[in-house]
């Protein structure tokens, strides 16, 4: 059949296309547009981005959104509806536009929110996790369309994205011809063959442009090819599932693409399986049905959606299509290589061409499931009807004898092209370049026209914006800098920790300050490494500090020893009621000062022993020495009063006698050395204080006074500073078990040693444990208040020194609280690591502890907040992130009306109590995650969660109750069957990840 047998419209239309490509598409294709409007349109180089809806109203004419008057609905898509609207920017000549309005979130998004991982987002989290799935898709579609400016691709003119509106509006050029009508109701072809060819040329040009821009459309099908109003041209529409490939973009001309919207490069929301089932390429399908074609999933069967995993029924109508083995010519698809490449667009183009020519799909399976369609796409061959097009041009069958050159029939050429397009092996599939040169595409062109067409379209399209030199340079610089930054980060992570004692103490003393500074400290810039790094560095810091202090102590003690030998201290503490609380062992071993050195040769000769953590330390001997040294001064007076709480006397009003402070201080130090207090590696001034205090103690001690249980007080402090199974196991301070253990001879000594070595600095400084310990079982209310010494109001580490001292100095109101505070000072000044192994967190062992803590409110002390509430979990406090405080809004916020914890003492089951807040969390996280900074998620926060919400944190995100889920969850979809609605179904876009 010669070219003259065909209507000559192809050449004409081709020229028409060429002319259009050189100018603005819309200006020349729509006769209805006035020249002024066309000029205005031409001026629109870029897509308008409008962030506010200034005008919205409903009139008889229609709805108004800004300058657009929305009229009738043009189509309905998956994510939104498309309307015909008129742009009234020029009221004289309103321009028709298509407005696609889409909701940011749908019901599925809300449900997905509940199923999302509770882990906080980080800078590495994909953009897809910051917004709802729907909004992500919309934004991606917009980002892609913003890049496009081509006569054969629908143009995006404006985006109206007002955050206050639940919808996003995409204003596009209006294509009045609508979708290509490619088949009649009888499933016969609706277009003539030459029309089909014309359409194909337009689509090829559009696709070529898209691929050059790095865009893979992924949903080429007749429904997404729209006619212009005059029906002289076709444009590609619908970029809802399109993918931007940076590599593809740069591979075209070897240059680095200009700066792109970051959303384009974000593949986190990329769904591997997207498109319309009938048009899916084998390489996409095979991952979902397995490569064997027997219905058994392949290696990646796990990825398949439930629908796609179904086995084909025993009775299948597949034999209607010849199998590859029958035909013997179809190359079986190679092993799976699930690449989203431009080849999938070529395949879809082949299916589209088949549909346009024959009025049906190549892999249609009558009455079959979607699975069977995929099976056919992957494994079966296709057949051709006898004629093609509405003009019924004979095809000549699928297998034709090759005619001589120049004698090819149109049917033969069509089948030849289809074979190359519907090649199952993506690597062997024809490329767009090849398609353009195919004889059927060039069939009715003169040689000159054909050459022009092929070469002309290879040139840069008018829509394509060539990056300027500056842009290219900028892009290169940015890439280089980003690599430098990444390198630096990796280096920082790998760099061994630099011990920084001052940083450690800062962290202890001022969590807020340390938080703000952590960016400057070693290894804390990257959130995930923070907890780990801290831990390591604190261990080193402690080891170093310990060594330093021991050295210092040795020098000081020997100095003091010399002094004491020369002038024995005038100890005058002897009252009739005083009693020795020194251990028998230490008393025995320390009758004279001189013998102390003999009693502890290890210390004497600088020997050391291994502690339980494996680090070498001389602490044991040092403690023993101090303990022994205190034997003579172990008789202490008791305080007068006990019944005083820190709240009863304002700190400012209490006497601040320096003498009494130092006396108390030294008294404490003295008592430290008598069994229950740890050693005091203090400086020279402490020594002087000790000496001064040894003369007169400020407070007498009576046998009956609780002050003699000052080691209990010590324990109440220890409770606030370490996790100790001993203490908790013993029922806390109140029942005296800890005391009895301590005061029993050598055990007491051992415990004294242990009690003075809290473990690693950071460990015992953990504020939650402070409170967990303080408000543990068996501690009476008074101890809560008095024993805590105000600690309950703030983390131990941030106890103000002056306040503590003033409490100590108050000789009238001296009580365990004062001791606690003073001891805190001593303890803080010591800051020694030690051999105490970490006991399990009591809170994590016993949920009831938590409950009691949460419920505790001191009677008569309404100002005392729940110990677990604000000091620890309020926003911006002590290194706890906002994320953390968000995570437990109702649990830890006492003021929260909806708080599930009942502070009045009624027990609320933990499970039910935490549920609402957690679901709130996901909601809020969704809203606010975008401003998460890396410093918001220290590793510690994550590890701490179980200790607070055991059941919550250790289990997956909360499941809804059955009754709830029944009402909110959609019932499982029945397997789709290709029955009456099969064509629509298989021709609608699906997205499965
Ligand atoms: N620019 C336009 N001019 C005229 N009609 C349009 C335009 N864009 C879309 N339409 C019509 O609206 C319908 C739906 O649009 P679109 O394909 O963009 O939505 P969608 O959500 O992506 O749908 P789906 O992915 O299910 O095909 C189209 O099939 C077409 O009929």
């Amino acid at each position: 059949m010669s070219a003259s047998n065909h209507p000559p419209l192809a050449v004409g239309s081709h020229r028409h296309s060429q002319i259009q490509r050189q100018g603005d598409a819309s200006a020349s294709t729509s006769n209805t547009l006035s020249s002024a409007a066309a000029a205005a349109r031409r001026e629109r180089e870029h897509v308008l981005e409008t962030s506010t809806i200034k005008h919205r109203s409903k009139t008889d004419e229609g709805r108004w959104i800004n300058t657009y008057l929305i009229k009738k609905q043009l189509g309905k898509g998956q994510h939104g509806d498309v309307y015909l609207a008129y742009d009234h920017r020029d009221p004289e000549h309103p321009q028709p536009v298509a407005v696609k309005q889409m909701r940011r979130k749908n019901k599925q998004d809300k449900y997905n929110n509940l199923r999302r991982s509770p882990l906080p987002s980080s800078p590495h989290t994909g953009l897809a996790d910051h917004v709802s799935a729907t909004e992500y898709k919309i934004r991606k579609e917009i980002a892609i369309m913003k890049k496009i400016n081509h006569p054969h691709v629908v143009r995006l003119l404006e985006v109206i994205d007002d955050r206050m509106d639940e919808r996003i509006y995409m204003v596009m050029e209006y294509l009045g011809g609508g979708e290509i009508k490619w088949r009649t109701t009888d499933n016969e072809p609706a277009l003539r063959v030459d029309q089909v060819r014309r359409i194909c040329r337009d689509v090829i040009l559009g696709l070529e442009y898209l691929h050059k821009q790095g865009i893979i459309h992924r949903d080429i099908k007749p429904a997404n090819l729209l006619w212009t109003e005059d029906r002289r041209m076709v444009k590609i529409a619908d970029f809802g599932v399109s993918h931007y490939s940076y590599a593809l973009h740069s591979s075209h001309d070897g240059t680095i693409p200009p700066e792109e919207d970051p959303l384009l490069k974000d593949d986190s929301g990329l769904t591997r399986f997207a498109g319309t089932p009938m048009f899916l390429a084998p390489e996409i399908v095979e991952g979902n049905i397995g490569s064997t074609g027997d219905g058994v999933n392949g290696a990646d069967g796990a990825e398949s959606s439930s629908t796609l995993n179904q086995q084909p029924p025993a009775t299948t109508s597949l034999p209607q299509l010849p199998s590859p083995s029958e035909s013997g010519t179809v190359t079986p698809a190679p092993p799976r290589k699930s690449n989203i490449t431009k080849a999938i667009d070529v395949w879809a183009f082949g299916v589209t061409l088949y549909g346009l020519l024959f009025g049906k799909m190549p892999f249609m399976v009558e009455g079959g499931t979607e699975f069977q369609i995929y099976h056919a796409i992957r494994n079966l061959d296709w057949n051709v009807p006898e004629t093609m097009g509405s003009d019924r041009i004979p095809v000549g069958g699928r297998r034709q004898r090759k005619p001589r050159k120049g004698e090819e029939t149109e049917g033969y050429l069509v089948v030849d092209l289809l074979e190359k397009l519907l090649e199952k092996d993506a690597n062997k599939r024809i490329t767009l370049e090849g398609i353009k040169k195919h004889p059927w595409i060039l069939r009715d062109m003169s040689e000159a026209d054909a050459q022009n067409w092929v070469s002309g379209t290879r040139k840069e399209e008018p829509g394509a914006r060539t990056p300027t030199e500056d842009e290219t340079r900028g892009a290169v610089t940015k890439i280089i800098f980003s690599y430098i930054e990444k390198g630096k980060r990796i280096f920082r992570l790998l760099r061994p920790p630099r011990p920084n004692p001052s940083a450690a103490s800062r962290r202890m003393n001022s969590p807020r300050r340390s938080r703000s500074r952590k960016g400057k400290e070693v290894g804390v810039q990257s959130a995930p490494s923070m907890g780990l790094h801290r831990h390591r560095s604190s261990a080193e810091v402690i080891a170093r500090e310990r060594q330093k202090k021991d050295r210092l102590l040795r020098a000081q003690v020997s100095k003091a020893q010399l002094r004491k030998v020369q002038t024995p201290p005038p100890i005058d503490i002897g009252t009739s009621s005083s009693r020795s609380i020194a251990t028998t062992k230490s008393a025995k071993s320390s009758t004279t000062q001189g013998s102390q050195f003999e009693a502890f040769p290890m210390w004497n000769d600088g020997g050391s022993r291994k502690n339980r953590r494996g680090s070498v330390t001389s602490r044991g001997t040092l403690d023993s020495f101090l303990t022994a040294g205190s034997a003579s001064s172990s008789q202490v007076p008791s305080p007068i009063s006990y019944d005083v709480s820190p709240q009863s006397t304002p700190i400012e009003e209490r006497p601040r006698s320096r003498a009494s402070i130092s006396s108390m201080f030294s008294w404490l130090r003295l008592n430290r050395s008598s069994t229950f207090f740890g050693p005091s590696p203090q400086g020279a001034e402490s020594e002087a204080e000790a000496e001064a205090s040894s003369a007169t103690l400020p407070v007498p001690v009576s046998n009956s006074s609780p002050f003699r249980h000052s080691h209990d007080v010590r324990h109440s402090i220890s409770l606030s500073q370490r996790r100790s199974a001993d203490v908790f196991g013993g029922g806390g301070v109140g029942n005296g078990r800890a005391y009895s253990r301590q005061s029993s001879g050598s055990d007491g000594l051992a415990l004294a040693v242990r009690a003075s070595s809290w473990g690693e600095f950071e460990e015992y400084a953990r504020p939650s444990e402070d409170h967990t310990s303080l408000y543990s079982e068996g501690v009476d209310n008074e101890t809560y208040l008095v024993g805590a010494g105000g600690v309950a109001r703030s983390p131990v580490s941030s106890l103000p020194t002056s306040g503590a001292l003033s409490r100590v100095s108050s000789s009238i109101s001296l009580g365990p609280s004062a001791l606690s505070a003073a001891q805190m000072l001593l303890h803080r000044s010591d800051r020694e690591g030690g051999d105490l192994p970490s006991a399990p967190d009591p809170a994590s062992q016993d949920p009831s502890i938590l409950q009691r803590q949460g419920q505790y409110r001191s009677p008569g002390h309404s100002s005392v907040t729940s110990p677990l509430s604000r000091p620890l979990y309020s926003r911006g406090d002590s290194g706890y992130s906002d994320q953390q405080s968000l995570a437990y809004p109702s649990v830890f916020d006492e003021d929260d009306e909806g708080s599930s914890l009942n502070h009045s003492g009624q027990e609320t089951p933990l499970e039910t109590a935490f549920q609402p807040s957690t679901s709130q969390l996901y909601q809020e996280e969704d809203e606010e995650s975008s401003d998460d900074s890396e410093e918001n998620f220290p590793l510690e926060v994550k590890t701490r969660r179980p200790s607070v919400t055991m059941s919550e944190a250790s289990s997956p995100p909360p499941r809804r109750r059955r009754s709830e889920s029944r009402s909110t969850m959609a019932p499982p979809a029945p397997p789709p069957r290709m029955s009456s609605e099969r064509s629509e179904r298989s021709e609608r876009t699906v997205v499965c990840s």
Side-chain angles (χ1 to χ4, degrees), residues 131 158 437 474 570 585 701 859 922 940 960:
V131 293
E158 183 175 353
K437 292 178 192 164
K585 191 174 180 179
V701 177
Y922 299 135
E940 281 202 356
R960 291 196 164 192

Short mmCIF file of all heavy atoms in Angstrom, two decimals, residues 131 158 437 474 570 585 701 859 922 940 960:
data_model
loop_
_atom_site.label_atom_id
_atom_site.label_comp_id
_atom_site.label_asym_id
_atom_site.label_seq_id
_atom_site.Cartn_x
_atom_site.Cartn_y
_atom_site.Cartn_z
N VAL A 131 4.39 14.66 55.29
CA VAL A 131 3.02 15.04 54.94
C VAL A 131 2.21 13.77 54.71
O VAL A 131 2.75 12.67 54.66
CB VAL A 131 2.99 15.91 53.66
CG1 VAL A 131 3.65 17.24 53.89
CG2 VAL A 131 3.64 15.19 52.50
N GLU A 158 -1.02 27.42 37.25
CA GLU A 158 -0.98 28.01 38.59
C GLU A 158 -1.28 26.94 39.63
O GLU A 158 -2.05 26.00 39.38
CB GLU A 158 -2.01 29.15 38.68
CG GLU A 158 -2.00 29.86 40.00
CD GLU A 158 -2.94 31.07 40.05
OE1 GLU A 158 -3.50 31.44 39.00
OE2 GLU A 158 -3.10 31.63 41.15
N LYS A 437 11.90 6.61 14.11
CA LYS A 437 12.41 6.30 12.77
C LYS A 437 11.66 5.14 12.13
O LYS A 437 11.98 4.73 11.00
CB LYS A 437 13.90 5.93 12.88
CG LYS A 437 14.78 7.09 13.26
CD LYS A 437 16.20 6.59 13.39
CE LYS A 437 17.07 7.63 14.04
NZ LYS A 437 18.34 7.05 14.51
N GLY A 474 26.43 26.60 40.13
CA GLY A 474 25.84 26.57 41.47
C GLY A 474 25.50 25.15 41.89
O GLY A 474 25.75 24.75 43.01
N PRO A 570 41.50 18.41 118.62
CA PRO A 570 40.78 18.42 119.89
C PRO A 570 39.32 18.03 119.69
O PRO A 570 38.45 18.88 119.63
CB PRO A 570 40.92 19.87 120.34
CG PRO A 570 41.07 20.65 119.07
CD PRO A 570 41.64 19.74 118.06
N LYS A 585 35.06 -3.42 112.35
CA LYS A 585 36.29 -3.70 111.62
C LYS A 585 37.17 -2.47 111.57
O LYS A 585 38.35 -2.52 111.87
CB LYS A 585 35.93 -4.13 110.20
CG LYS A 585 37.10 -4.69 109.44
CD LYS A 585 36.61 -5.22 108.11
CE LYS A 585 37.77 -5.79 107.32
NZ LYS A 585 37.32 -6.33 106.05
N VAL A 701 23.56 15.07 118.97
CA VAL A 701 22.87 13.91 118.41
C VAL A 701 22.36 13.04 119.55
O VAL A 701 23.11 12.71 120.47
CB VAL A 701 23.84 13.08 117.53
CG1 VAL A 701 23.15 11.84 117.01
CG2 VAL A 701 24.38 13.94 116.41
N PRO A 859 -0.51 15.43 100.30
CA PRO A 859 -1.60 16.12 100.99
C PRO A 859 -1.08 17.37 101.66
O PRO A 859 -0.06 17.34 102.34
CB PRO A 859 -2.08 15.08 102.01
CG PRO A 859 -0.97 14.11 102.17
CD PRO A 859 -0.18 14.14 100.90
N TYR A 922 0.61 10.76 67.41
CA TYR A 922 0.81 10.56 65.98
C TYR A 922 0.23 11.71 65.18
O TYR A 922 0.79 12.14 64.20
CB TYR A 922 0.17 9.24 65.55
CG TYR A 922 0.78 8.08 66.25
CD1 TYR A 922 0.00 7.07 66.79
CD2 TYR A 922 2.16 8.01 66.41
CE1 TYR A 922 0.57 6.03 67.45
CE2 TYR A 922 2.74 6.95 67.09
CZ TYR A 922 1.93 5.96 67.60
OH TYR A 922 2.50 4.93 68.26
N GLU A 940 18.92 8.89 73.96
CA GLU A 940 18.44 8.60 75.31
C GLU A 940 16.94 8.67 75.41
O GLU A 940 16.34 7.93 76.14
CB GLU A 940 19.06 9.60 76.28
CG GLU A 940 20.49 9.23 76.63
CD GLU A 940 20.91 9.84 77.94
OE1 GLU A 940 20.12 10.60 78.51
OE2 GLU A 940 22.01 9.54 78.36
N ARG A 960 -5.96 -0.05 67.83
CA ARG A 960 -7.27 0.37 68.30
C ARG A 960 -7.99 -0.83 68.87
O ARG A 960 -7.71 -1.97 68.53
CB ARG A 960 -8.07 0.96 67.15
CG ARG A 960 -7.49 2.26 66.72
CD ARG A 960 -8.49 2.98 65.91
NE ARG A 960 -8.11 4.36 65.82
CZ ARG A 960 -8.90 5.29 65.36
NH1 ARG A 960 -10.11 4.99 64.96
NH2 ARG A 960 -8.52 6.54 65.29
#
